[in-house]
Each structure stands twice: as structure tokens, then as C-alpha cells.
Amino acid sequence: MKLIIGGVAQGKLDYVLQRYGLTPKDIWPGVDLSSLEDYKIINNLQLLVAKMLENGRDAQTEILAAVRTNPHIIIIAAEIGCGIVPIEQKDRIWREVHGRLCCELAKEATEVIRIFCGRGMVIKS
């Protein structure tokens, strides 16, 4: 598994498509984690985490299990832990779950790259 992180609108998806020779057809449509085997990219991990938390699901456990079953996957996640702490408790929980999940994913990833201004900085290889 590969983890690609970076701020919003920093070119993460374009970087992944170009670097790994993939197309938009390789992006998981976000319907069901059991269909991951047919795709190569999870884009906007932070939105998946938010949706799962809204539905009362254990995002960290489910996503880690799905990724372990599909080690070929490339995960793209926005950095949401910097800046002002959200006022709403649900937003603080979302931010913490997402951050802790990214830490776990980074431990297991074969490669971690941070994207800034469309440029990749290898954090782990």
C-alpha cells in the first residue's frame, strides 16, 4: 500500500495518476469497501472517514482491514490536522480519527509521499 498526503488542492491525484501511470478509471467510486480489489486508488480518504463516522461505523478498523486485504491500493488523503481546532465535537472526532488512521497507514505503507505544490517529497520508501 502507498500513502499520499498533502493539503487541499496541492495536486495529489494528478501526481498519483502521472507517477503510477493510472487513469481516473482506477479510482474507487466510494460505494463499498469490498469492491476495492477492482480499483487502485482511494481518493479523499478524509471524506470516506467522515461518511463512515456519520453512519456510526468504525472507520479505522474497517479501512485498515480493507487495505490489508488489498495491499496494491494507493491511498490519497488530505492533511486536515493542522490549523484551528474545530468547534464542533463531531469535527474534532473526525479530525482525530483521520489523523490516527493516517499514522497507522503510514506504518504499514511501503511508500509515503507528501505532495506540496504538485511536487512529491518521499517520506518513506
Side-chain angles (χ1 to χ4, degrees):
M1 176 261 299
K2 295 171 180 35
L3 177 62
I4 312 299
I5 60 170
V8 173
Q10 292 297 308
K12 296 179 296 294
L13 180 57
D14 289 340
Y15 180 90
V16 166
L17 294 176
Q18 183 178 359
R19 178 177 174 115
Y20 301 105
L22 301 173
T23 70
K25 291 180 182 178
D26 293 310
I27 302 169
W28 176 67
V31 178
D32 182 11
L33 283 170
S34 66
S35 69
L36 270 182
E37 64 193 28
D38 300 328
Y39 299 94
K40 295 183 174 123
I41 302 168
I42 293 176
N43 192 25
N44 291 313
L45 178 69
Q46 71 283 356
L47 300 180
L48 173 60
V49 170
K51 184 176 180 181
M52 292 176 82
L53 290 174
E54 262 181 35
N55 293 323
R57 295 168 61 190
D58 184 345
Q60 183 160 337
T61 301
E62 288 186 43
I63 292 169
L64 284 172
V67 167
R68 288 174 181 143
T69 305
N70 298 279
H72 68 281
I73 206 80
I74 299 169
I75 299 172
I76 302 173
E79 294 175 346
I80 61 169
C82 300
I84 298 169
V85 176
I87 293 172
E88 297 291 327
Q89 182 180 17
K90 70 178 182 65
D91 294 333
R92 291 192 305 271
I93 291 169
W94 165 61
R95 187 167 113 160
E96 182 171 338
V97 169
H98 180 264
R100 292 186 188 281
L101 174 59
C102 284
C103 289
E104 289 302 312
L105 291 169
K107 285 179 193 174
E108 295 186 24
T110 58
E111 190 173 48
V112 179
I113 299 174
R114 182 173 189 263
I115 308 300
F116 185 74
C117 295
R119 301 288 181 211
M121 295 176 280
V122 177
I123 297 173
K124 178 183 177 181
S125 63

Coordinates of all heavy atoms in Angstrom, one line a residue, residues 60-103:
Q60 N -11.6 3.4 11.3 CA -10.2 2.9 11.4 C -10.1 1.4 11.2 O -9.4 0.9 10.4 CB -9.6 3.3 12.7 CG -8.1 2.9 12.7 CD -7.3 3.7 13.8 OE1 -7.7 4.8 14.2 NE2 -6.2 3.1 14.2
T61 N -10.9 0.7 11.9 CA -10.9 -0.8 11.8 C -11.3 -1.3 10.4 O -10.6 -2.1 9.8 CB -11.8 -1.4 12.9 OG1 -11.4 -1.0 14.2 CG2 -11.8 -2.9 12.8
E62 N -12.4 -0.7 9.9 CA -12.8 -1.2 8.6 C -11.9 -0.8 7.4 O -11.6 -1.6 6.6 CB -14.2 -0.6 8.3 CG -15.3 -1.2 9.1 CD -16.7 -0.6 8.7 OE1 -17.0 -0.5 7.4 OE2 -17.5 -0.3 9.6
I63 N -11.3 0.4 7.5 CA -10.4 0.8 6.4 C -9.1 0.0 6.5 O -8.6 -0.4 5.5 CB -10.2 2.3 6.4 CG1 -11.5 3.0 6.1 CG2 -9.1 2.7 5.5 CD1 -11.5 4.5 6.3
L64 N -8.6 -0.1 7.7 CA -7.3 -0.9 7.8 C -7.5 -2.3 7.4 O -6.7 -2.9 6.7 CB -6.8 -0.9 9.3 CG -6.2 0.4 9.8 CD1 -5.9 0.3 11.3 CD2 -4.9 0.7 9.0
A65 N -8.6 -2.9 7.7 CA -8.9 -4.3 7.2 C -9.0 -4.4 5.7 O -8.4 -5.3 5.1 CB -10.2 -4.8 7.8
A66 N -9.7 -3.4 5.1 CA -9.8 -3.4 3.6 C -8.5 -3.2 2.9 O -8.2 -3.8 1.9 CB -10.8 -2.3 3.2
V67 N -7.6 -2.3 3.5 CA -6.3 -2.1 2.9 C -5.4 -3.3 3.1 O -4.7 -3.6 2.2 CB -5.7 -0.8 3.6 CG1 -4.2 -0.7 3.2 CG2 -6.5 0.4 3.1
R68 N -5.5 -4.0 4.2 CA -4.7 -5.2 4.4 C -5.1 -6.3 3.4 O -4.3 -7.1 3.0 CB -4.8 -5.6 5.8 CG -4.1 -4.7 6.8 CD -4.3 -5.1 8.2 NE -3.6 -4.2 9.1 CZ -4.0 -3.7 10.3 NH1 -5.2 -4.2 10.7 NH2 -3.3 -2.9 11.0
T69 N -6.4 -6.3 3.1 CA -6.9 -7.3 2.1 C -6.5 -6.9 0.7 O -6.4 -7.7 -0.2 CB -8.4 -7.4 2.2 OG1 -8.7 -7.7 3.5 CG2 -8.9 -8.5 1.3
N70 N -6.2 -5.6 0.4 CA -5.9 -5.1 -0.9 C -4.6 -4.3 -0.8 O -4.6 -3.0 -0.9 CB -7.0 -4.2 -1.4 CG -8.3 -4.9 -1.5 OD1 -8.5 -5.6 -2.5 ND2 -9.2 -4.8 -0.5
P71 N -3.5 -4.9 -0.6 CA -2.2 -4.2 -0.4 C -1.7 -3.5 -1.7 O -0.7 -2.7 -1.6 CB -1.2 -5.3 0.0 CG -1.8 -6.6 -0.6 CD -3.3 -6.4 -0.6
H72 N -2.3 -3.6 -2.8 CA -2.0 -2.9 -4.0 C -2.5 -1.5 -4.0 O -2.1 -0.7 -4.9 CB -2.6 -3.6 -5.2 CG -4.1 -3.5 -5.3 ND1 -4.9 -4.4 -4.5 CD2 -4.9 -2.7 -5.9 CE1 -6.1 -4.0 -4.7 NE2 -6.2 -3.0 -5.6
I73 N -3.3 -1.1 -3.1 CA -4.1 0.2 -3.2 C -3.2 1.4 -2.9 O -2.2 1.3 -2.1 CB -5.3 0.1 -2.2 CG1 -6.4 1.1 -2.7 CG2 -4.9 0.4 -0.8 CD1 -7.2 0.5 -3.7
I74 N -3.5 2.5 -3.5 CA -2.8 3.8 -3.2 C -3.9 4.6 -2.6 O -5.0 4.8 -3.1 CB -2.4 4.4 -4.5 CG1 -1.3 3.5 -5.3 CG2 -1.8 5.8 -4.3 CD1 -1.0 4.0 -6.7
I75 N -3.6 5.2 -1.4 CA -4.5 6.0 -0.6 C -4.1 7.4 -0.7 O -2.9 7.8 -0.4 CB -4.6 5.5 0.8 CG1 -5.0 4.1 0.9 CG2 -5.5 6.5 1.6 CD1 -5.0 3.5 2.3
I76 N -5.0 8.3 -1.1 CA -4.7 9.7 -1.1 C -5.6 10.4 0.0 O -6.8 10.2 0.0 CB -5.1 10.3 -2.5 CG1 -4.4 9.6 -3.6 CG2 -4.9 11.8 -2.5 CD1 -4.8 10.0 -5.0
A77 N -4.8 11.1 0.8 CA -5.5 11.8 2.0 C -5.1 13.2 2.1 O -3.9 13.5 2.0 CB -5.2 11.0 3.3
A78 N -6.0 14.1 2.4 CA -5.7 15.5 2.7 C -5.3 15.6 4.1 O -5.7 14.9 5.0 CB -7.0 16.4 2.4
E79 N -4.3 16.5 4.3 CA -3.9 16.9 5.7 C -5.0 17.8 6.3 O -5.2 18.9 5.8 CB -2.5 17.5 5.6 CG -1.4 16.6 5.2 CD -0.1 17.4 5.0 OE1 -0.1 18.6 5.1 OE2 0.9 16.7 4.8
I80 N -5.6 17.3 7.3 CA -6.7 18.1 8.0 C -6.4 18.4 9.4 O -7.2 19.0 10.1 CB -8.0 17.4 7.9 CG1 -8.1 16.1 8.6 CG2 -8.5 17.3 6.4 CD1 -9.4 15.5 8.7
G81 N -5.2 18.0 9.9 CA -4.9 18.1 11.3 C -4.2 19.4 11.7 O -4.0 19.7 12.9
C82 N -3.8 20.2 10.7 CA -3.2 21.5 11.0 C -4.2 22.6 11.1 O -5.3 22.5 10.5 CB -2.1 21.8 9.9 SG -0.9 20.5 9.8
G83 N -3.8 23.6 11.8 CA -4.7 24.8 11.8 C -5.6 24.8 13.1 O -5.3 24.2 14.1
I84 N -6.7 25.5 13.0 CA -7.6 25.8 14.1 C -8.3 24.5 14.5 O -8.8 23.8 13.6 CB -8.6 26.9 13.7 CG1 -7.8 28.2 13.5 CG2 -9.6 27.1 14.8 CD1 -8.6 29.3 12.9
V85 N -8.5 24.3 15.7 CA -9.2 23.1 16.2 C -10.7 23.4 16.0 O -11.2 24.5 16.4 CB -8.9 22.9 17.7 CG1 -9.8 21.7 18.2 CG2 -7.5 22.6 17.9
P86 N -11.4 22.5 15.4 CA -12.9 22.7 15.1 C -13.7 22.9 16.4 O -13.4 22.3 17.4 CB -13.3 21.4 14.4 CG -12.0 20.8 13.9 CD -11.0 21.2 14.8
I87 N -14.7 23.7 16.3 CA -15.6 24.0 17.4 C -16.5 22.8 17.7 O -16.7 22.4 18.9 CB -16.5 25.2 17.2 CG1 -15.6 26.5 17.1 CG2 -17.5 25.4 18.2 CD1 -16.3 27.8 16.7
E88 N -17.0 22.2 16.7 CA -18.0 21.1 16.8 C -17.2 19.8 17.2 O -16.2 19.5 16.6 CB -18.7 20.8 15.5 CG -19.6 22.0 15.0 CD -20.8 22.2 15.9 OE1 -21.3 21.2 16.4 OE2 -21.2 23.4 16.0
Q89 N -17.8 19.1 18.2 CA -17.1 17.9 18.7 C -17.0 16.8 17.6 O -16.0 16.2 17.5 CB -17.9 17.3 19.9 CG -17.3 16.1 20.5 CD -18.0 15.5 21.6 OE1 -19.1 15.8 21.9 NE2 -17.3 14.6 22.4
K90 N -18.1 16.7 16.8 CA -18.0 15.7 15.7 C -16.9 16.0 14.8 O -16.3 15.0 14.2 CB -19.3 15.6 15.0 CG -19.7 16.7 14.2 CD -21.1 16.5 13.4 CE -21.4 17.6 12.5 NZ -20.6 17.8 11.4
D91 N -16.6 17.2 14.5 CA -15.5 17.6 13.6 C -14.1 17.3 14.3 O -13.2 16.9 13.6 CB -15.6 19.0 13.2 CG -16.8 19.3 12.3 OD1 -17.3 18.4 11.7 OD2 -17.3 20.5 12.4
R92 N -14.0 17.5 15.6 CA -12.8 17.2 16.3 C -12.6 15.7 16.3 O -11.4 15.2 16.1 CB -12.8 17.7 17.7 CG -12.8 19.2 17.8 CD -12.5 19.7 19.2 NE -13.5 19.2 20.2 CZ -14.6 19.8 20.6 NH1 -15.0 20.9 20.0 NH2 -15.4 19.3 21.5
I93 N -13.6 14.9 16.5 CA -13.5 13.5 16.5 C -13.1 13.0 15.1 O -12.2 12.1 14.9 CB -14.8 12.8 16.9 CG1 -15.1 13.1 18.4 CG2 -14.8 11.3 16.6 CD1 -16.5 12.7 18.9
W94 N -13.7 13.5 14.0 CA -13.4 13.2 12.7 C -11.9 13.5 12.4 O -11.2 12.6 11.9 CB -14.2 14.0 11.7 CG -13.8 14.0 10.3 CD1 -13.6 12.9 9.5 CD2 -13.4 15.1 9.5 NE1 -13.2 13.3 8.2 CE2 -13.1 14.7 8.2 CE3 -13.4 16.5 9.8 CZ2 -12.7 15.5 7.2 CZ3 -13.0 17.4 8.8 CH2 -12.6 16.9 7.5
R95 N -11.4 14.6 12.8 CA -10.0 15.0 12.6 C -9.1 14.1 13.3 O -8.1 13.6 12.8 CB -9.8 16.5 13.0 CG -8.5 17.0 12.7 CD -8.6 18.5 12.9 NE -7.7 18.9 14.0 CZ -7.2 20.1 14.2 NH1 -7.6 21.1 13.4 NH2 -6.5 20.4 15.2
E96 N -9.4 13.7 14.5 CA -8.6 12.8 15.3 C -8.6 11.4 14.7 O -7.5 10.8 14.6 CB -9.0 12.7 16.7 CG -8.1 11.8 17.6 CD -8.3 11.9 19.1 OE1 -8.9 12.9 19.5 OE2 -7.9 11.0 19.7
V97 N -9.7 10.9 14.3 CA -9.8 9.5 13.8 C -9.0 9.5 12.5 O -8.2 8.6 12.2 CB -11.3 9.1 13.5 CG1 -11.3 7.8 12.7 CG2 -12.0 8.9 14.9
H98 N -9.2 10.5 11.6 CA -8.5 10.5 10.4 C -7.0 10.6 10.6 O -6.2 9.9 9.9 CB -8.9 11.7 9.5 CG -8.2 11.9 8.2 ND1 -7.2 12.7 8.0 CD2 -8.5 11.3 7.0 CE1 -6.7 12.6 6.8 NE2 -7.5 11.7 6.2
G99 N -6.5 11.4 11.5 CA -5.1 11.6 11.8 C -4.5 10.3 12.3 O -3.4 9.8 11.9
R100 N -5.2 9.6 13.2 CA -4.7 8.4 13.8 C -4.7 7.3 12.7 O -3.7 6.4 12.7 CB -5.5 7.9 15.0 CG -5.3 8.9 16.2 CD -5.9 8.4 17.5 NE -5.9 9.4 18.5 CZ -4.8 9.6 19.3 NH1 -3.7 8.9 19.1 NH2 -4.9 10.5 20.2
L101 N -5.7 7.3 11.9 CA -5.7 6.3 10.8 C -4.5 6.5 9.8 O -3.9 5.6 9.4 CB -7.0 6.4 10.0 CG -7.2 5.6 8.7 CD1 -7.0 4.1 9.1 CD2 -8.5 5.8 8.1
C102 N -4.2 7.7 9.5 CA -3.1 8.0 8.6 C -1.8 7.6 9.3 O -0.9 7.1 8.6 CB -3.1 9.5 8.3 SG -4.3 10.0 7.0
C103 N -1.7 7.7 10.6 CA -0.5 7.3 11.3 C -0.3 5.7 11.1 O 0.8 5.2 10.8 CB -0.5 7.6 12.7 SG -0.3 9.4 13.1

